[in-house]
Amino acid sequence: MHYHIFVKTNSIAKYLTTKNIQKVFNKFLPCQHLGRKARETAFKQRACNFEVTTFVYSLIAECGSFNNGDIHIEDVHRLYNQEARHSIESKPFYEKMDSPECVNFMQSVTKILHEKCMLTADHRGKQLIKALHDCGLEVEDVEATDGTYWVIDNSLAEKYPGKRNAIKAKPVDGLYDPEGNPIYEKENCAMIGLQNTYSLKTGCIKYSYVGSSTVSERDYVQVKEGECILHLMDDGYIDTKQDGLLEKIDSNGSYYIVQGRGNHACKVISAKIDGRITNLMNGEKISEFKYFEKKSIVDAQVEFANGFRCRLIRFWNKKDKWVSYLLTNISANKIKAAKILNLFRLRWQCEINWKFLKSGNALRGVKTCKETIVMVMMLASVCAYMVKHLLTALLSHFLPDI
């Protein structure tokens, strides 16, 4: 089962210009629709020379041309004045961006672009779904879920608490313990991030949620009734409790492949080593067999302390030079262990897309203490990503006439 990473095609649209952006928006979101959305969200008043279309183009172009340097609102403002018929001073421009109406407007733009992206699918996505159907997995999509977080201004720590342990504690002025030693406290840390679910059918973001780094990642995984999905997740999403995430996916008729951990306290029910049935592991904890034939593939049925059962695959990780584990509910008579490993490697799509968002689309935005500016720049970054996806689809003739 072969599958090529979608994001490679995005090199066609590595750097955005206002001309490229206009080409995409003319097809999917014409300027009159942008104007209507701006009025609906109260971002633009009728008797105003502010050019909404130029603002969106400038914002997305600045994010989309980002190349590992700092991005500044002044650059967006400068590009706007270059492209607009009516220039605007820096202070009113900043005030426009620093408004809830701007956030609401950019959310509506992002939503429309996202709807268009979800209608795209090239032949590789279709081949992947067909290959899974041939194996007996009647899935509608393959979703890879992961999150990323970054530090923002500490003044936002109350709403977006962070968990950076590397911050050094500092002595508090005038505070001492009974023995006369200064009392140390760590400064509040603010971190914001995105939890994204990527569709490998379309090669684009399917769901995206904003949150702090202290929220459980498992809460963002979408398990919809009547929708058969193959979920690919790392070990941060493991939840084998009763009514936990994996059980919820299984009871919904969907599938999962999750990166496991070496300290799983589960007992082996039955096992195969490189396809050969063995009774050596039966009734024993899987963690006791870390060193046993470590370069062989162990394909086992295991049971956790609470009665949760699943399939566990132990394999030799050449990169880490150690054994790694996968948990799945895909039966061995449908897909063999070696192909499960290949399927899970598709989760790397998440990592590549995060790199693409961060280094190619300014996901981390600008340094500011304004939450509205943080949100606007984050949305602009996602919009730039989606515009590149749609532009690639147009140039590559992947897109139907929609």
Coordinates of all heavy atoms in Angstrom, one line a residue, residues 326-390:
L326 N 2.2 -0.3 18.6 CA 1.0 0.2 18.0 C -0.2 -0.5 18.6 O -0.2 -1.7 18.8 CB 1.0 0.1 16.5 CG 2.0 0.9 15.7 CD1 1.9 0.6 14.2 CD2 1.9 2.4 15.9
L327 N -1.3 0.2 18.9 CA -2.5 -0.4 19.3 C -3.6 -0.2 18.2 O -3.6 0.9 17.6 CB -3.1 0.3 20.6 CG -2.2 0.3 21.8 CD1 -2.8 1.0 23.0 CD2 -1.8 -1.1 22.2
T328 N -4.3 -1.2 17.9 CA -5.3 -1.0 16.8 C -6.5 -2.0 17.1 O -6.4 -3.0 17.8 CB -4.7 -1.3 15.4 OG1 -5.7 -1.1 14.4 CG2 -4.2 -2.7 15.3
N329 N -7.6 -1.7 16.4 CA -8.8 -2.6 16.5 C -9.0 -3.2 15.1 O -10.1 -3.8 14.8 CB -10.0 -1.8 17.0 CG -10.5 -0.7 16.0 OD1 -9.7 -0.2 15.2 ND2 -11.7 -0.3 16.1
I330 N -8.1 -3.0 14.2 CA -8.2 -3.7 12.9 C -7.7 -5.1 13.0 O -6.6 -5.4 13.5 CB -7.3 -2.9 11.8 CG1 -7.7 -1.5 11.7 CG2 -7.4 -3.6 10.5 CD1 -6.8 -0.7 10.8
S331 N -8.6 -6.0 12.6 CA -8.3 -7.5 12.8 C -7.2 -7.9 11.9 O -7.0 -7.4 10.8 CB -9.5 -8.3 12.6 OG -10.0 -8.2 11.2
A332 N -6.4 -8.9 12.3 CA -5.3 -9.4 11.5 C -5.7 -10.1 10.2 O -5.0 -10.2 9.3 CB -4.5 -10.5 12.4
N333 N -7.0 -10.6 10.2 CA -7.4 -11.2 8.9 C -7.8 -10.2 7.8 O -8.1 -10.5 6.7 CB -8.6 -12.2 9.2 CG -9.8 -11.4 9.8 OD1 -9.8 -10.2 10.0 ND2 -10.9 -12.2 10.0
K334 N -7.8 -8.9 8.2 CA -8.1 -7.8 7.3 C -6.8 -7.2 6.8 O -6.5 -7.0 5.6 CB -9.0 -6.8 7.9 CG -10.4 -7.2 8.0 CD -11.3 -6.1 8.5 CE -12.8 -6.5 8.5 NZ -13.7 -5.4 8.9
I335 N -5.9 -6.8 7.7 CA -4.6 -6.2 7.4 C -3.6 -6.8 8.3 O -3.7 -6.8 9.5 CB -4.7 -4.6 7.6 CG1 -5.8 -4.1 6.7 CG2 -3.3 -4.0 7.2 CD1 -5.9 -2.5 6.7
K336 N -2.5 -7.3 7.7 CA -1.4 -7.9 8.4 C -0.6 -6.8 9.1 O -0.6 -5.6 8.8 CB -0.5 -8.7 7.4 CG -1.2 -9.8 6.8 CD -0.3 -10.7 6.0 CE -1.0 -11.8 5.3 NZ -1.6 -12.8 6.3
A337 N 0.2 -7.2 10.1 CA 1.0 -6.3 10.9 C 1.9 -5.4 10.2 O 1.9 -4.2 10.5 CB 1.8 -7.1 12.0
A338 N 2.6 -5.9 9.2 CA 3.5 -5.1 8.4 C 2.8 -3.9 7.7 O 3.3 -2.8 7.6 CB 4.3 -5.9 7.4
K339 N 1.6 -4.2 7.2 CA 0.8 -3.1 6.5 C 0.2 -2.1 7.5 O 0.0 -1.0 7.2 CB -0.2 -3.8 5.6 CG 0.3 -4.4 4.4 CD -0.8 -4.8 3.4 CE -0.2 -5.4 2.1 NZ -1.2 -5.7 1.2
I340 N 0.0 -2.6 8.7 CA -0.5 -1.7 9.8 C 0.6 -0.6 10.0 O 0.3 0.6 10.2 CB -0.8 -2.4 11.1 CG1 -2.0 -3.3 10.9 CG2 -1.0 -1.4 12.2 CD1 -3.4 -2.6 10.8
L341 N 1.9 -1.1 10.1 CA 3.0 -0.2 10.2 C 3.0 0.9 9.1 O 3.2 2.1 9.3 CB 4.3 -0.9 10.3 CG 4.5 -2.0 11.3 CD1 5.9 -2.5 11.3 CD2 4.1 -1.6 12.7
N342 N 2.8 0.4 7.9 CA 2.8 1.3 6.7 C 1.7 2.3 6.8 O 1.9 3.5 6.5 CB 2.7 0.5 5.4 CG 4.0 -0.2 5.1 OD1 5.1 0.1 5.6 ND2 3.9 -1.3 4.3
L343 N 0.5 1.9 7.3 CA -0.6 2.8 7.4 C -0.3 3.8 8.5 O -0.6 5.0 8.2 CB -1.8 2.0 7.8 CG -2.7 1.4 6.7 CD1 -3.9 0.6 7.3 CD2 -3.3 2.6 5.9
F344 N 0.3 3.4 9.6 CA 0.5 4.4 10.6 C 1.5 5.5 10.2 O 1.5 6.6 10.7 CB 1.0 3.7 11.9 CG 1.2 4.6 13.1 CD1 0.1 5.1 13.7 CD2 2.4 5.1 13.5 CE1 0.2 6.0 14.8 CE2 2.6 5.9 14.5 CZ 1.5 6.4 15.2
R345 N 2.4 5.1 9.3 CA 3.4 6.1 8.8 C 2.8 7.3 8.1 O 3.3 8.3 8.0 CB 4.4 5.4 7.9 CG 5.4 4.5 8.7 CD 6.5 4.0 7.8 NE 7.4 3.1 8.5 CZ 7.4 1.7 8.4 NH1 6.6 1.2 7.4 NH2 8.2 1.0 9.1
L346 N 1.5 7.1 7.7 CA 0.8 8.2 7.0 C 0.5 9.3 8.0 O 0.2 10.4 7.6 CB -0.5 7.7 6.4 CG -0.4 6.6 5.4 CD1 -1.8 6.2 4.8 CD2 0.4 7.0 4.2
R347 N 0.6 9.0 9.3 CA 0.4 10.0 10.3 C 1.5 11.1 10.2 O 1.3 12.2 10.7 CB 0.4 9.4 11.7 CG -0.3 10.3 12.8 CD 0.1 9.9 14.2 NE 1.5 10.3 14.4 CZ 1.9 11.5 14.8 NH1 1.0 12.5 14.9 NH2 3.1 11.8 15.0
W348 N 2.6 10.8 9.6 CA 3.6 11.8 9.4 C 3.1 13.0 8.6 O 3.7 14.1 8.7 CB 4.8 11.1 8.8 CG 6.1 12.0 8.8 CD1 6.7 12.6 7.7 CD2 6.8 12.4 9.9 NE1 7.8 13.3 8.1 CE2 7.9 13.2 9.5 CE3 6.7 12.2 11.3 CZ2 8.8 13.8 10.4 CZ3 7.6 12.7 12.2 CH2 8.6 13.5 11.7
Q349 N 2.0 12.8 7.9 CA 1.4 13.9 7.2 C 1.1 15.1 8.2 O 1.3 16.2 7.8 CB 0.1 13.5 6.6 CG -0.8 14.6 6.0 CD -0.2 15.1 4.7 OE1 0.7 14.5 4.1 NE2 -0.7 16.2 4.2
C350 N 0.7 14.8 9.4 CA 0.5 15.8 10.4 C 1.8 16.6 10.7 O 1.7 17.8 10.7 CB 0.1 15.1 11.8 SG -1.7 14.9 12.0
E351 N 2.9 15.9 10.9 CA 4.1 16.6 11.2 C 4.6 17.5 10.0 O 5.0 18.6 10.2 CB 5.2 15.6 11.5 CG 4.8 14.6 12.6 CD 4.5 15.2 13.9 OE1 5.0 16.4 14.2 OE2 3.8 14.6 14.7
I352 N 4.4 17.0 8.8 CA 4.8 17.8 7.6 C 3.9 19.0 7.5 O 4.4 20.1 7.2 CB 4.8 16.9 6.4 CG1 5.8 15.9 6.5 CG2 5.0 17.8 5.1 CD1 5.8 14.9 5.3
N353 N 2.6 18.8 7.7 CA 1.7 20.0 7.6 C 1.9 21.0 8.7 O 1.8 22.2 8.5 CB 0.2 19.5 7.7 CG -0.2 19.1 6.3 OD1 -0.6 19.9 5.5 ND2 -0.2 17.8 6.0
W354 N 2.3 20.6 9.9 CA 2.7 21.5 11.0 C 3.9 22.3 10.6 O 3.9 23.5 10.8 CB 2.9 20.8 12.3 CG 1.7 20.4 13.1 CD1 1.5 19.1 13.6 CD2 0.6 21.2 13.5 NE1 0.3 19.1 14.2 CE2 -0.3 20.4 14.2 CE3 0.3 22.5 13.3 CZ2 -1.5 20.8 14.7 CZ3 -0.9 23.0 13.8 CH2 -1.8 22.2 14.5
K355 N 4.9 21.6 10.0 CA 6.1 22.4 9.5 C 5.7 23.4 8.5 O 6.2 24.5 8.4 CB 7.1 21.4 9.0 CG 8.4 22.0 8.6 CD 9.4 20.9 8.1 CE 10.7 21.6 7.7 NZ 11.7 20.6 7.2
F356 N 4.8 23.0 7.6 CA 4.3 23.8 6.5 C 3.6 25.0 7.1 O 3.8 26.2 6.6 CB 3.4 23.0 5.6 CG 3.0 23.7 4.3 CD1 3.9 24.2 3.5 CD2 1.7 23.9 4.0 CE1 3.6 24.9 2.3 CE2 1.3 24.5 2.9 CZ 2.2 25.0 2.0
L357 N 2.7 24.8 8.1 CA 2.0 25.9 8.7 C 2.9 26.9 9.4 O 2.8 28.1 9.4 CB 1.0 25.4 9.7 CG -0.4 25.1 9.1 CD1 -1.2 24.3 10.1 CD2 -1.2 26.4 8.8
K358 N 3.9 26.3 10.2 CA 4.8 27.2 11.0 C 5.8 27.9 10.1 O 6.0 29.1 10.3 CB 5.5 26.3 12.0 CG 4.6 25.7 13.1 CD 5.4 24.7 13.9 CE 4.6 24.1 15.0 NZ 5.3 23.1 15.8
S359 N 6.5 27.2 9.3 CA 7.6 27.9 8.5 C 7.2 28.5 7.2 O 7.8 29.4 6.7 CB 8.7 26.8 8.2 OG 8.2 25.8 7.4
G360 N 6.0 28.1 6.7 CA 5.6 28.6 5.4 C 4.4 29.5 5.5 O 4.0 30.2 4.6
N361 N 3.7 29.6 6.7 CA 2.5 30.3 6.8 C 2.3 31.1 8.1 O 1.2 31.5 8.5 CB 1.2 29.4 6.6 CG 1.2 28.8 5.2 OD1 0.9 29.4 4.2 ND2 1.6 27.5 5.2
A362 N 3.4 31.3 8.8 CA 3.5 32.2 10.0 C 2.4 31.8 11.0 O 1.7 32.7 11.6 CB 3.3 33.6 9.6
L363 N 2.3 30.5 11.3 CA 1.3 30.1 12.3 C 1.4 30.8 13.7 O 0.5 31.1 14.3 CB 1.3 28.6 12.5 CG 0.3 28.0 13.5 CD1 -1.1 28.3 13.1 CD2 0.6 26.5 13.7
R364 N 2.7 31.0 14.1 CA 2.9 31.6 15.4 C 2.7 33.1 15.4 O 2.8 33.7 16.5 CB 4.3 31.2 15.9 CG 4.4 29.7 16.2 CD 5.8 29.3 16.4 NE 5.9 27.9 16.8 CZ 7.0 27.2 16.8 NH1 8.2 27.8 16.5 NH2 7.0 26.0 17.1
G365 N 2.3 33.7 14.3 CA 1.9 35.0 14.2 C 2.9 36.1 14.7 O 4.1 36.0 14.4
V366 N 2.4 37.1 15.4 CA 3.2 38.2 15.8 C 3.3 38.2 17.3 O 2.5 37.6 18.0 CB 2.6 39.6 15.3 CG1 2.6 39.6 13.8 CG2 1.2 39.8 15.9
K367 N 4.3 39.0 17.8 CA 4.4 39.1 19.3 C 3.5 40.3 19.7 O 3.8 41.4 19.4 CB 5.9 39.4 19.6 CG 6.8 38.2 19.3 CD 8.3 38.6 19.6 CE 9.2 37.4 19.2 NZ 10.6 37.7 19.4
T368 N 2.5 39.9 20.5 CA 1.6 40.9 20.9 C 0.9 40.5 22.2 O 0.8 39.3 22.5 CB 0.5 41.2 19.8 OG1 -0.5 42.1 20.3 CG2 -0.2 39.9 19.4
C369 N 0.4 41.4 23.0 CA -0.4 41.1 24.2 C -1.9 41.1 23.9 O -2.7 40.9 24.8 CB -0.1 42.0 25.3 SG -0.5 43.8 25.0
K370 N -2.3 41.4 22.6 CA -3.7 41.5 22.3 C -4.2 40.1 21.8 O -3.7 39.6 20.7 CB -3.9 42.5 21.1 CG -3.4 43.9 21.5 CD -4.4 44.5 22.5 CE -4.1 46.0 22.8 NZ -5.0 46.7 23.7
E371 N -5.2 39.6 22.5 CA -5.7 38.3 22.1 C -6.4 38.3 20.7 O -6.3 37.4 19.9 CB -6.8 37.8 23.1 CG -7.4 36.4 22.8 CD -8.5 36.1 23.7 OE1 -8.8 36.9 24.6 OE2 -9.1 35.0 23.5
T372 N -7.0 39.4 20.4 CA -7.7 39.6 19.1 C -6.7 39.5 17.9 O -6.9 38.8 16.9 CB -8.5 40.9 19.0 OG1 -7.6 42.0 19.4 CG2 -9.7 40.8 19.8
I373 N -5.5 40.1 18.1 CA -4.5 40.1 17.1 C -3.9 38.7 17.0 O -3.7 38.2 15.8 CB -3.3 41.1 17.4 CG1 -3.8 42.5 17.5 CG2 -2.2 40.9 16.4 CD1 -4.2 43.1 16.2
V374 N -3.7 38.0 18.1 CA -3.2 36.6 18.1 C -4.2 35.7 17.2 O -3.8 35.0 16.4 CB -3.1 36.0 19.5 CG1 -2.8 34.5 19.4 CG2 -2.0 36.7 20.3
M375 N -5.5 35.9 17.5 CA -6.5 35.1 16.8 C -6.6 35.5 15.3 O -6.7 34.6 14.4 CB -7.9 35.3 17.4 CG -8.0 34.8 18.8 SD -7.7 33.0 19.0 CE -9.0 32.4 18.0
V376 N -6.5 36.7 15.0 CA -6.6 37.2 13.5 C -5.4 36.6 12.8 O -5.6 36.1 11.7 CB -6.6 38.7 13.4 CG1 -6.3 39.2 12.0 CG2 -7.9 39.3 13.9
M377 N -4.2 36.7 13.4 CA -3.0 36.2 12.7 C -3.0 34.6 12.5 O -2.6 34.1 11.5 CB -1.7 36.6 13.4 CG -1.5 38.1 13.4 SD -1.6 38.9 11.8 CE -0.2 38.1 11.0
M378 N -3.6 34.0 13.6 CA -3.7 32.5 13.5 C -4.6 32.1 12.4 O -4.4 31.2 11.6 CB -4.2 32.0 14.8 CG -4.2 30.5 14.9 SD -5.0 29.8 16.4 CE -4.0 30.6 17.7
L379 N -5.8 32.8 12.3 CA -6.8 32.5 11.2 C -6.2 32.9 9.9 O -6.4 32.1 8.9 CB -8.0 33.3 11.5 CG -8.9 32.9 12.7 CD1 -9.9 33.9 13.0 CD2 -9.6 31.5 12.4
A380 N -5.4 34.0 9.8 CA -4.8 34.3 8.5 C -3.8 33.3 8.0 O -3.7 33.0 6.9 CB -4.1 35.7 8.6
S381 N -3.1 32.7 9.0 CA -2.1 31.6 8.7 C -2.8 30.4 8.1 O -2.4 29.8 7.1 CB -1.3 31.3 10.0 OG -0.5 30.1 9.7
V382 N -3.9 30.0 8.8 CA -4.7 28.9 8.3 C -5.3 29.2 6.9 O -5.3 28.3 6.0 CB -5.8 28.5 9.3 CG1 -6.7 27.4 8.7 CG2 -5.2 28.0 10.6
C383 N -5.8 30.4 6.7 CA -6.3 30.8 5.4 C -5.2 30.7 4.3 O -5.5 30.3 3.2 CB -6.8 32.3 5.4 SG -8.5 32.4 6.2
A384 N -4.0 31.2 4.7 CA -2.9 31.1 3.7 C -2.6 29.6 3.3 O -2.4 29.3 2.1 CB -1.6 31.7 4.3
Y385 N -2.6 28.8 4.3 CA -2.5 27.3 4.1 C -3.5 26.8 3.1 O -3.2 26.1 2.1 CB -2.5 26.6 5.4 CG -2.7 25.1 5.3 CD1 -1.6 24.3 5.1 CD2 -3.9 24.5 5.3 CE1 -1.7 22.9 5.0 CE2 -4.1 23.1 5.2 CZ -3.0 22.3 5.1 OH -3.2 21.0 5.0
M386 N -4.8 27.2 3.3 CA -5.9 26.7 2.5 C -5.9 27.3 1.1 O -6.2 26.6 0.1 CB -7.2 27.0 3.2 CG -7.4 26.2 4.5 SD -9.0 26.6 5.3 CE -9.0 25.4 6.6
V387 N -5.5 28.6 1.0 CA -5.3 29.2 -0.3 C -4.3 28.5 -1.1 O -4.5 28.2 -2.3 CB -5.0 30.7 -0.2 CG1 -4.6 31.3 -1.5 CG2 -6.2 31.5 0.3
K388 N -3.2 28.1 -0.5 CA -2.1 27.3 -1.2 C -2.7 26.0 -1.6 O -2.3 25.5 -2.7 CB -0.9 27.2 -0.3 CG -0.1 28.5 -0.1 CD 1.1 28.2 0.8 CE 1.8 29.5 1.0 NZ 3.0 29.3 1.9
H389 N -3.4 25.4 -0.8 CA -4.0 24.1 -1.1 C -4.9 24.2 -2.3 O -4.9 23.4 -3.3 CB -4.8 23.5 0.1 CG -5.5 22.2 -0.2 ND1 -4.9 21.0 0.0 CD2 -6.8 21.9 -0.7 CE1 -5.7 20.0 -0.4 NE2 -6.9 20.6 -0.7
L390 N -5.8 25.2 -2.3 CA -6.7 25.4 -3.5 C -6.0 25.8 -4.7 O -6.4 25.4 -5.8 CB -7.8 26.4 -3.1 CG -8.8 26.0 -2.0 CD1 -9.6 27.2 -1.5 CD2 -9.7 24.9 -2.5

